[in-house]
Amino acid sequence: MKAIITIRNVASDLVTTFWTPTFVTIFVFIVAYALWPRNKAAFDEVSRMPLRQD
């Protein structure tokens, strides 16, 4: 049986093997940065910004 290589198959394989793990890794780093204890004070200050009465 002859293998049929199409753009759709190549694109699907590329997304599955490269981009999905890449974006999952980026997402994990963003969540870790947001939950890191050192950043708590900065995020708390920014979260109260809409409530300020200037």
Side-chain angles (χ1 to χ4, degrees):
M1 186 181 276
K2 189 174 177 182
I4 299 174
I5 299 176
T6 63
I7 298 297
R8 185 176 185 182
N9 289 343
V10 172
S12 176
D13 291 344
L14 181 65
V15 167
T16 303
T17 60
F18 181 70
W19 290 111
T20 301
T22 301
F23 286 125
V24 168
T25 304
I26 291 169
F27 177 77
V28 167
F29 278 112
I30 290 171
V31 170
Y33 174 77
L35 297 177
W36 205 257
R38 182 182 61 165
N39 299 326
K40 184 175 179 12
F43 283 120
D44 284 343
E45 181 182 339
V46 173
S47 72
R48 288 188 293 273
M49 192 180 288
L51 304 175
R52 288 186 191 160
Q53 296 291 328
D54 289 334

